[in-house]
Amino acid sequence: MADTAGSDLLHSDLYAKGKTVHNKRIDGPFRRFKWLVMIVTLAIYYITPWIRWDRGAYAPDQAVLVDLANRRFYMFDIEIWPHEFYFVAGLLIMAGIGLFLVTSAVGRAWCGYACPQTVWTDLFQHVDRFFDGDRNARARLDKAPWTAGKTARRLAKWAVYLAIAFWTGGAWIMYFADAPTLTYDFWRGDAAPVAYATVAILTGTTFWLGGFMREQVCIYMCPWPRIQTAMLDEKSLIVTYKDWRGEQRGSLKKAAKNPEAFGDCIDCQLCVAVCPTGIDIREGQQIGCITCGLCIDACDRVMKETGRPRGLIDYATLDQCEAEAAGAPATPAWKALLRPRVFIYFGVWTALGAGLLFALGTRTHTDLTVSPDRNPPFMLLKDGSVRNAYTLRLRNMEARPRDMEVALQGLPAGAVLWTDAVSAENAAPVQVITVPANETKVVRAYVLVPPGTDEDDSEHFSFRLTSLDEQGETDIAETTFAMPEDDE
Amino acid sequence: MTTNKTPASAGRRIDEPTGTETVGHEWDGIEELNTPLPRWWLYTFYATIVFALVYVVLYPALPMIDRATAGTLGWSSRGDLAREMSAADAARAGIVAKIAATDIEALPANPDLMQAAISGGAAAFKVNCVQCHGAGAAGSPGYPNLNDDDWLWGGTLTDIEYTLTHGIRWEGADQTRATYMPAFEGVVDAAQARALAGHVLSLSGKAKPSPAGAQMFADNCAACHGAGGEGMPAMGAPALNDAIWIYGGTQAEVAKQILAPRHGVMPAWQGRLDPVTIKMLAAYVHSRGGGQAAAPAPAEPAPDVAQGTEAKTDG
């Protein structure tokens, strides 16, 4: 047994050598759409950090800035504070539901057009084409021995890969600090180590994943195709090969001799040649298909040249395919968008968006949170009055210092408060506190009720914060007042 | 296994539906396809093994009997901690020196310095003081509450610093503050003690006045506690006319304290904590809400008070 099993192992390959995909250049509506998406997404990515936005003296003037050190997120006129993280969470949820929406409507459009892996792979493939020529030339060059010419070409190509990768990593860090300052510091060697590390890591991964791994990322590494399998159904738009129309395949010559026996597919292999993941769509649905539509461009061109109707490979739902195979007339692809699932996702997505916009529109630039001291919960003073201590957090989300008034609401008459900034002698029902621009001021506040106050063990009351300016924004924070238990 | 295994000759066949070669294993009719791993995957796997081997040599890794191998880099988490601690000490050094150089009553005038002192004091409090005074400094019977406005020995920053430095009734500290409430057991009987306690409680409105108790109080107690029970912080005599009772405020508890009083002891922290830490602790305790402002005239420090017993007999 041992030797037979051993020989089996010896004969089997331990690993499979990756096959390089040299996809052929093709032109067509989907290719042009891919160009457009690539240009728009890359432009947004590279240019955004350089847009300036004047926010006054106390805030940075970068339009989009993730200021981790000060825990602020700036996006044009919107400034997100840590306690408003629900905006970011909401956007992430919207992005998730948006992905479901797009997937249920047009299948793997994310994979085919917008996924960074797809965009950068596409970009690197154009670099390949520039240096090594189109499909056949590239394949030839790959097999050719390493002459000086090939080495020079490869080094030049990899240098361009590296430049793109470095630019990509460099653009990323610009979102986290003032871009011009960071660029200057970066080249002077004064930037934070984390900046260099981030650029190094992103340069490395872009170079490796975009330049060499390419479709293997989609097939082996990415979890999304697996999740997507569960999200697609027979009513989702996908790239399909209409086999009832294409089969039996045969070359033009054979088909010309015997038109009855052959379908529309002339087995020219162009759909395989243009595929960026190197699959054959005619084998049916498969995980390697990112539905970029380049095979549709290729096939439509061949159909036109051979005088056959377009759409042998096309966007269609499996239901439509079945109906068409059974003889029903072709349905336009957009009709696949009109189904309950799409509307439900769209409804949830819009509701979330509307909710976030509403929250954004109604939020104030002040905020007050109160946490009562629990250790000890109350303090009995000499004269029998009872004091509670609270930690107040007053937020001033405007780019200027503001005076704010803190008042007690709902405590019996005689209740006073003071803070650690003013002593107990200055206790009063209302205190004015100045909060610096763009800051959260933490103060410890004491509230005192006079002796003989008749109350439950913990009476609910509120701190009321009012900004002493033309806006007069108010914010109310509820809390409790603890009293000693009666020992008589 | 031998029973289920297909003979080697028949093993390597092509599986029809997938077009993939089989490895020749078969279990209950299920065959194993020969689907090799991608090359990069395998190389990544090898790279992790190499990484692990290098890591084991460089860093502490292999468990031995009492400790792990040290690693050739000499790195340890303990060393990291020590470095971080000394870095933190160095970062603190400036402000600590400033606090040391500032008179304690001048601290509140400098809010940043005061805040730093309070933070440092809060940390020191958690290590040294919570055992008696509690995590919230609220004390417990016999251990004063440091949040309220009742101070046995005075609640100014200077007073608190003095108490911290020299302790209360602490043997071995020359300048410790010490007075004793005498035991009245044998002087008054239990009924008289209750009457006296009743009068004491009446001072803060918790009981009806009793003439007999009032007379006894004037004869025996007013010298230290004051005629109205207002207390005498200079010698640690508690105020009896307020709502705060260190050993309990019921008639029985007060009577017990009259007959067989207890006396709190506070360690002197001089010598155990450096003066800056004591200063910061004083600032923290003062900041808990009950701290008193310094007296307008320079407070008379305590040497006199230390001979409290004498003061009492005089009074």
Side-chain angles (χ1 to χ4, degrees):
Chain A
M1 184 196 88
D3 55 347
T4 50
S7 68
D8 274 1
L9 270 181
L10 278 179
H11 286 291
S12 70
D13 295 320
L14 194 52
Y15 60 76
K17 197 169 183 291
K19 288 191 205 80
T20 315
V21 175
H22 298 295
N23 66 326
K24 193 172 167 58
R25 194 185 136 86
I26 190 74
D27 191 32
F30 291 107
R31 175 66 259 182
R32 285 194 289 271
F33 182 59
K34 229 167 135 64
W35 271 115
L36 180 74
V37 174
M38 186 213 262
I39 289 165
V40 170
T41 50
L42 288 182
I44 290 174
Y45 176 69
Y46 290 122
I47 294 171
T48 304
W50 296 90
I51 305 172
R52 304 285 99 186
W53 201 260
D54 186 17
R55 291 194 185 85
Y58 293 94
D61 59 355
Q62 182 158 325
V64 176
L65 179 67
V66 183
D67 191 349
L68 290 179
N70 299 308
R71 301 195 297 164
R72 296 278 188 286
F73 175 52
Y74 300 94
M75 192 164 177
F76 300 98
D77 261 346
I78 303 167
E79 183 183 339
I80 304 289
W81 285 50
H83 72 287
E84 296 174 309
F85 197 76
Y86 55 84
F87 282 118
V88 180
L91 282 178
L92 290 175
I93 295 171
M94 277 183 78
I97 294 176
L99 204 50
F100 299 164
L101 170 64
V102 169
T103 303
S104 65
V106 288
R108 293 179 65 176
W110 166 259
C111 294
Y113 302 98
C115 171
Q117 177 65 22
T118 290
V119 170
W120 266 277
T121 297
D122 206 19
L123 185 63
F124 279 105
Q125 280 168 345
H126 292 304
V127 175
D128 285 354
R129 224 162 263 142
F130 177 80
F131 280 97
D132 300 345
D134 208 10
R135 178 178 162 89
N136 296 338
R138 291 216 301 280
R140 258 201 316 280
L141 189 69
D142 256 10
K143 286 204 190 93
W146 281 88
T147 60
K150 177 174 171 178
T151 311
R153 259 200 206 182
R154 277 290 138 98
L155 288 178
K157 184 172 84 172
W158 289 341
V160 173
Y161 279 4
L162 203 59
I164 294 172
F166 176 73
W167 195 24
T168 305
W172 177 259
I173 60 170
M174 297 305 163
Y175 285 86
F176 298 89
D178 182 62
T181 316
L182 181 58
T183 310
Y184 182 73
D185 289 346
F186 189 89
W187 289 109
R188 276 177 57 95
D190 291 340
V194 65
Y196 294 102
T198 307
V199 171
I201 290 169
L202 288 181
T203 303
T205 48
T206 310
F207 183 70
W208 180 55
L209 297 176
F212 301 92
M213 294 308 289
R214 297 192 177 173
E215 81 287 346
Q216 305 206 45
V217 174
C218 313
I219 297 170
Y220 294 105
M221 295 178 174
C222 179
W224 184 232
R226 276 84 187 163
I227 300 166
Q228 212 149 20
T229 314
M231 297 201 52
L232 293 174
D233 58 16
E234 59 284 352
K235 291 186 172 62
S236 311
L237 267 186
I238 44 172
V239 174
T240 52
Y241 165 68
K242 298 178 177 169
D243 53 356
W244 73 92
R245 196 186 128 189
E247 304 295 321
Q248 175 72 34
R249 298 174 205 168
S251 66
L252 269 179
K253 233 186 254 173
K254 279 191 203 160
K257 266 188 227 157
N258 190 359
E260 292 302 305
F262 290 99
D264 280 350
C265 178
I266 60 165
D267 211 8
C268 66
Q269 303 281 350
L270 194 59
C271 55
V272 180
V274 298
C275 179
T277 59
I279 62 158
D280 185 347
I281 189 64
R282 295 171 302 172
E283 284 169 7
Q285 292 309 297
Q286 50 206 293
I287 214 159
C289 177
I290 57 170
T291 68
C292 62
L294 294 187
C295 52
I296 305 178
D297 281 346
C299 193
D300 280 354
R301 163 175 297 202
V302 172
M303 290 299 110
K304 195 178 171 193
E305 280 170 8
T306 57
R308 296 160 207 233
R310 68 164 294 279
L312 176 58
I313 301 174
D314 205 358
Y315 273 107
T317 71
L318 292 179
D319 271 358
Q320 285 172 6
C321 285
E322 211 170 293
E324 276 184 55
T331 2
W334 61 265
K335 283 208 169 156
L337 307 185
L338 310 176
R339 61 184 186 125
R341 195 202 279 207
V342 175
F343 290 125
I344 291 169
Y345 280 138
F346 186 71
V348 174
W349 189 81
T350 356
L352 256 171
L356 284 181
L357 279 179
F358 179 75
L360 196 65
T362 54
R363 68 181 185 154
T364 59
H365 294 115
T366 55
D367 189 57
L368 174 69
T369 54
V370 172
S371 44
D373 266 18
R374 294 203 167 77
N375 187 12
F378 62 84
M379 191 46 52
L380 179 66
L381 298 189
K382 277 204 289 194
D383 61 359
S385 53
V386 178
R387 189 189 77 204
N388 277 200
Y390 302 86
T391 304
L392 307 184
R393 286 186 166 74
L394 296 89
R395 284 199 191 89
N396 172 16
M397 295 164 60
E398 293 207 346
R400 59 191 170 120
R402 292 205 289 173
D403 286 341
M404 302 198 190
E405 186 186 82
V406 179
L408 296 171
Q409 246 184 354
L411 277 179
V416 289
L417 88 151
W418 70 95
T419 68
D420 49 4
V422 300
S423 56
E425 290 86 65
N426 297 319
V430 166
Q431 297 287 351
V432 175
I433 298 167
T434 307
V435 187
N438 272 321
E439 258 188 46
T440 303
K441 186 170 177 122
V442 182
V443 295
R444 207 171 132 84
Y446 298 102
V447 175
L448 184 99
V449 298
T453 303
D454 185 31
E455 264 186 311
D456 293 331
D457 278 346
S458 53
E459 179 78 12
H460 289 273
F461 78 104
S462 316
F463 285 95
R464 183 191 178 87
L465 182 77
T466 313
S467 72
L468 296 178
D469 52 21
E470 66 285 353
Q471 284 152 305
E473 290 175 333
T474 58
D475 202 52
I476 290 172
E478 279 190 23
T479 184
T480 55
F481 193 91
M483 299 283 277
E485 282 170 40
D486 262 338
D487 48 19
E488 269 143 295
Chain B
M1 241 227 254
T2 35
T3 51
N4 286 334
K5 200 171 175 309
T6 336
S9 52
R12 299 170 60 76
R13 62 181 198 82
I14 300 292
D15 173 59
E16 246 172 63
T18 58
T20 311
E21 197 178 48
T22 67
V23 296
H25 304 153
E26 187 198 325
W27 294 271
D28 296 341
I30 299 171
E31 285 182 85
E32 184 182 348
L33 298 183
N34 180 15
T35 313
L37 297 164
R39 183 168 57 169
W40 60 264
W41 194 100
L42 208 69
Y43 284 169
T44 312
F45 176 58
Y46 293 150
T48 60
I49 294 173
V50 173
F51 177 89
L53 289 176
V54 172
Y55 188 94
V56 163
V57 173
L58 293 181
Y59 288 95
L62 302 176
M64 310 301 272
I65 287 167
D66 61 340
R67 61 185 59 221
T69 50
T72 53
L73 288 186
W75 180 91
S76 73
S77 52
R78 205 171 271 273
D80 262 8
L81 177 68
R83 254 194 310 283
E84 273 175 37
M85 294 286 281
S86 57
D89 280 346
R92 253 163 40 102
I95 197 124
V96 167
K98 260 192 222 163
I99 294 171
T102 309
D103 184 66
I104 189 157
E105 290 292 352
L107 274 179
N110 188 337
D112 285 347
L113 219 50
M114 184 67 177
Q115 203 50 54
I118 290 171
S119 308
F125 191 88
K126 288 196 181 94
V127 179
N128 299 294
C129 313
V130 294
Q131 293 82 350
C132 293
H133 291 285
S140 56
Y143 301 94
N145 184 336
L146 304 176
N147 299 293
D148 63 27
D149 56 348
D150 193 20
W151 297 93
L152 287 171
W153 299 94
T156 66
L157 281 164
T158 315
D159 288 335
I160 297 170
E161 188 188 29
Y162 189 92
T163 303
L164 278 160
T165 309
H166 303 291
I168 303 291
R169 302 183 192 94
W170 184 252
E171 288 171 24
D174 291 346
Q175 293 171 291
T176 192
R177 288 163 162 165
T179 53
Y180 292 98
M181 161 94 183
F184 282 84
E185 211 162 24
V187 181
V188 296
D189 61 24
Q192 286 172 314
R194 284 189 67 80
L196 190 48
H199 174 74
V200 167
L201 289 176
S202 77
L203 294 174
S204 43
K206 289 181 97 183
K208 275 183 226 136
S210 88
Q215 190 53 50
M216 268 190 284
F217 186 85
D219 293 345
N220 297 296
C221 317
C224 294
H225 291 287
E230 60 275 359
M232 199 181 288
M235 45 192 290
L240 304 176
N241 60 353
D242 61 21
I244 294 170
W245 302 89
I246 187 163
Y247 291 108
T250 65
Q251 196 166 13
E253 283 164 333
V254 175
K256 191 177 166 201
Q257 188 65 7
I258 291 166
L259 292 170
R262 285 158 287 175
H263 305 104
V265 172
M266 155 100 176
W269 291 94
Q270 192 177 36
R272 303 190 198 194
L273 296 178
D274 60 272
V276 186
T277 305
I278 290 177
K279 196 183 266 187
M280 294 195 291
L281 270 173
Y284 170 71
V285 169
H286 189 267
S287 78
R288 290 298 299 174
Q292 294 166 343
E300 238 170 274
D304 285 351
V305 183
Q307 275 77 50
T309 26
E310 184 199 320
K312 193 193 65 172
T313 42
D314 285 354

